[in-house]
Amino acid sequence: MNRMNYCVAEMHKQYDNILEISAPYSVAAETAGGLVFYKQLRLNVSAVHKELDRAATDLIVQINAILPQIISIADPYANPKTISETHQREFSLPYLIQLLRGLETNSGGVVHLCPYCSLLLEKYGIVNTEIVSFSAKPYVAVLTEYAQSNRLVFIGGQCIHTKTVNKIFLLHLSNSIL
């Protein structure tokens, strides 16, 4: 199957205005068929890095071409319960960061990051988290409000499937690198 079929999935099953995206690591793993990808990580690291870079670049191009208002990014193949943080730091996080930095910022919108992604970015100082508290609201309504901003807003710390929230975790990208 073509790599691009994994880059931009489809609209969120419950909400028409949320585009679900797989992060570059998961795109590369899914495209290669999981086990083949993990074998390549041991046998041909440079080829894996090239594929991850291509996946990140493809995602940036496709997302910037359609400029959706709300994007939800997850990296299920890089779940910290299944791969080590060392592995994540070398193969997942650099390409997730490349993706985040490559997104167009002049039209606003929201990038929601899966908590597994956002917590690791925070742990390594790649994002600073600002907590904003308010009266309980549906999470999708909060994301929609932030999507109206004239700048791109990064939000994490909570699952996209959370029904109601009373706080939001705004993520501010730092200039630090891995």
Side-chain angles (χ1 to χ4, degrees), residues 108-121:
V110 167
V111 174
H112 169 272
L113 290 165
C114 165
Y116 291 125
C117 296
S118 64
L119 293 174
L120 278 174
L121 291 170

Side-chain angles (χ1 to χ4, degrees), residues 26-159:
S26 291
V27 169
E30 184 71 27
T31 303
L35 186 57
V36 172
F37 177 73
Y38 293 119
K39 286 180 183 177
Q40 287 298 310
L41 285 169
R42 286 193 331 269
L43 302 174
N44 196 350
V45 171
S46 64
V48 169
H49 279 293
K50 286 179 185 171
E51 179 59 23
L52 290 167
D53 182 63
R54 278 193 297 272
T57 301
D58 288 349
L59 280 166
I60 291 165
V61 168
Q62 259 199 319
I63 293 167
N64 286 340
I66 58 176
L67 293 172
Q69 281 298 107
I70 302 174
I71 302 166
S72 178
I73 300 176
D75 204 358
Y77 280 83
N79 187 314
K81 294 178 181 180
T82 56
I83 65 173
S84 72
E85 281 190 38
T86 302
H87 187 89
Q88 287 175 318
R89 283 180 57 94
E90 181 177 354
F91 297 104
S92 174
L93 289 178
Y95 301 99
L96 176 60
I97 294 164
Q98 178 182 342
L99 170 62
L100 297 177
R101 291 193 190 279
L103 296 177
E104 294 290 332
T105 58
N106 57 357
S107 64
V110 167
V111 174
H112 169 272
L113 290 165
C114 165
Y116 291 125
C117 296
S118 64
L119 293 174
L120 278 174
L121 291 170
E122 184 177 4
K123 178 179 181 174
Y124 294 115
I126 295 154
V127 298
N128 298 310
T129 303
E130 173 188 355
I131 301 171
V132 178
S133 298
F134 43 80
S135 297
K137 297 180 184 180
Y139 191 40
V140 172
V142 175
L143 294 176
T144 302
E145 286 175 29
Y146 276 94
Q148 304 312 310
S149 172
N150 61 356
R151 63 181 176 86
L152 189 61
V153 177
F154 295 96
I155 297 175
Q158 300 179 94
C159 180

